Amino acid sequence: MTEAPELPLTMRRDRFDPVDELGRARDTEGVVRVVTPFGSPAYAVCRFEDAREVLADPVRFSSARARLFLPPDAEVTGEELAEIQAGNLIGYDPPEHTRLRRMLTPEFTRHRMRALEPRIVEIVDSALDDLERAGRPADLVANFALPVPSMVICELLGVPYSDRAEFQERSARLVDASSPLERRLAAQRESRAYMTRLVAEARAEPGEDILGMLVREHGDDLSEAELAGIASLLLIAGHETTSNMLGLGTLALLRHPDQLAMVRDNPARVEPAVEELLRWLSIVHALPVRATTTEVRIAGHTIPADSLVVVSVPAADRDPAFVEAADDLDVTRGAIGHLAFGHGAHHCLGAPLARMEMRIAFPALLRRFPRLALAEPYETVPFREFSAVYGLRSLQVTW
């Protein structure tokens, strides 16, 4: 039997918490040498203010240059690499990043999100009905945490919800650090082929969704590969992150029943609770890698030019220089400015949507099932240890 590879330091957790070694790296050195999930050496930045400095400076810390640092066993031609990376906003620097992001920004404004709210409420209520029909005990991940954001992003983007099992399986392969590189690349190719087909359909008959909008308003400015890349990124990010926050966040609240009661019973506590759960859980282990364009100094360390740099989000968001008692979950805190959605030019475009989904879903779940409880020992709950987006594989609950 093939042994699972060793987890990179930036991905190691002790249930909800980053491992002690990562905390010590933050509190002592600030910057530590690590290996990325693709096997490349990198520098991990662990302190909050240093992390913000890296993320806010695309000149010294380039996303585009980082794309060139391929693992030695990556069997990808230059032409295919360009095709795979086209339209993927997280791999661009300004001004190209700005050009692509500007096309999408109107779809994710607060005004647009408010218009979507009634439909998201309907989707959440429908998922709760399905969860109740599943009977006790039920898997909260499969019956609630995953269907809600999947349905939302499918409707917003213009992807058939009937294809959800297919794209969920592909995205799971893409973020699985234990999977061989070739398997992840195959998932990337399959995702591109799927989106290319949807782009062709949108070209022929553009709908009122984001893909239709891009075709109508920017079809002459975007290549087929760019359209497919943008749509692929939105689809994967739109359900992977929020679904894991809903599952893991519910477990966190179940482990803190006094704070669960505040979220369930006091509407004024919901928004601060969402922010605190985002900070405390920090489900994205490390933000997309950057490459230094020149020699830089961070936390007293000299990092040479052409080095890979990653930001450890759990370590930075648990930095006591950012918030007091940072290792404690406190839903009354609601610290603004955490790095769960990144920072700077690459701050998550879909953050307003994710916040709205959580703001609606958490209290709705807890009010529908006021006696919600674990239906399995906490020690046996399966966490997604090798996933680039942390979360739960399943969560058996009763009510």
Side-chain angles (χ1 to χ4, degrees):
M1 186 172 71
T2 304
E3 290 187 6
E6 183 180 3
L7 268 175
L9 175 60
T10 51
M11 293 181 66
R12 294 179 202 163
R13 306 263 186 149
D14 181 7
R15 312 298 264 179
F16 293 119
D17 305 321
V19 294
D20 290 343
E21 185 181 354
L22 203 51
R24 285 194 299 270
R26 177 197 61 225
D27 298 338
T28 56
E29 296 297 314
V31 173
V32 62
R33 297 296 302 269
V34 297
V35 175
T36 71
F38 289 102
S40 302
Y43 294 83
V45 175
C46 301
R47 293 175 184 160
F48 182 78
E49 285 301 329
D50 296 331
R52 282 171 58 92
E53 179 182 345
V54 170
L55 299 174
D57 187 351
V59 175
R60 292 187 302 154
F61 301 95
S62 167
S63 297
R65 184 174 292 198
R67 298 184 305 182
L68 305 176
F69 288 73
L70 285 174
D73 58 341
E75 298 181 3
V76 183
T77 66
E79 182 179 351
E80 184 182 12
L81 179 63
E83 185 82 4
I84 287 174
Q85 294 172 342
N88 186 348
L89 275 73
I90 61 177
Y92 286 89
D93 295 325
E96 190 65 6
H97 172 267
T98 309
R99 177 184 77 90
L100 294 172
R101 186 176 176 115
R102 188 179 292 128
M103 299 177 188
L104 290 165
T105 300
E107 296 299 313
F108 292 95
T109 61
R110 289 183 181 273
H111 176 73
R112 177 79 169 105
M113 292 304 103
R114 281 195 295 270
L116 286 173
E117 185 166 359
R119 179 58 186 140
I120 295 175
V121 169
E122 290 178 359
I123 290 171
V124 167
D125 287 343
S126 177
L128 290 171
D129 292 341
D130 291 342
L131 177 62
E132 190 165 12
R133 277 193 292 267
R136 298 172 290 179
D139 180 0
L140 185 89
V141 172
N143 290 285
F144 183 71
L146 192 52
V148 167
S150 294
M151 174 69 85
V152 171
I153 198 62
C154 281
E155 291 195 6
L156 193 62
L157 191 57
V159 172
Y161 186 60
S162 57
D163 293 347
R164 65 191 180 281
E166 181 184 341
F167 70 68
Q168 287 166 0
E169 187 276 332
R170 276 197 305 268
S171 68
R173 275 189 284 147
L174 276 168
V175 300
D176 183 2
S178 69
S179 183
L181 176 61
E182 187 51 46
R183 189 165 184 263
R184 283 180 271 175
L185 286 173
Q188 180 75 267
R189 296 182 184 107
E190 292 165 18
S191 180
R192 282 279 171 157
Y194 172 73
M195 279 302 175
T196 299
R197 175 171 61 81
L198 292 186
V199 166
E201 293 173 2
R203 288 269 193 200
E205 191 175 348
E208 296 303 315
D209 45 68
I210 289 180
L211 201 50
M213 177 277 294
L214 288 171
V215 166
R216 282 194 308 274
E217 299 182 15
H218 306 287
D220 295 336
D221 304 318
L222 292 169
S223 67
E224 302 299 300
E226 285 177 325
L227 279 167
I230 291 170
S232 294
L233 176 63
L234 293 178
L235 180 61
I236 293 168
H239 80 273
E240 271 288 340
T241 50
T242 308
S243 68
N244 283 290
M245 273 301 305
L246 290 176
L248 197 59
T250 299
L251 179 60
L253 292 173
L254 288 171
R255 298 291 292 172
H256 297 81
D258 57 330
Q259 303 196 50
L260 181 152
M262 284 189 274
V263 175
R264 182 191 63 217
D265 301 333
N266 188 345
R269 294 294 190 197
V270 175
E271 288 193 29
V274 166
E275 296 306 316
E276 177 68 351
L277 286 167
L278 284 163
R279 180 200 70 83
W280 195 68
L281 296 172
S282 293
I283 60 169
V284 176
H285 299 289
L287 293 171
V289 67
R290 268 60 165 181
T292 53
T293 59
T294 185
E295 182 180 278
V296 297
R297 291 279 292 175
I298 292 286
H301 296 263
T302 299
I303 300 178
D306 293 321
S307 299
L308 294 180
V309 176
V310 298
V311 166
S312 172
V313 184
D317 275 346
R318 298 281 190 102
D319 189 342
F322 171 42
V323 292
E324 293 183 6
D327 287 327
D328 296 340
L329 178 68
D330 179 1
V331 299
T332 68
R333 172 164 34 207
I336 301 299
H338 58 73
L339 302 179
F341 289 122
H343 177 69
H346 287 279
H347 184 270
C348 177
L349 186 69
L353 177 62
R355 283 185 165 107
M356 174 174 286
E357 290 180 75
M358 287 183 277
R359 179 173 60 77
I360 294 169
F362 280 126
L365 169 68
L366 300 176
R367 289 169 192 159
R368 174 72 72 91
F369 304 109
R371 294 186 177 183
L372 190 72
L374 278 178
E376 61 182 317
Y378 170 64
E379 293 72 23
T380 66
V381 174
F383 287 73
R384 299 176 69 189
E385 293 180 344
F386 281 89
S387 174
V389 181
Y390 195 52
L392 304 173
R393 292 199 296 274
S394 62
L395 182 66
Q396 296 297 320
V397 296
T398 188
W399 51 86

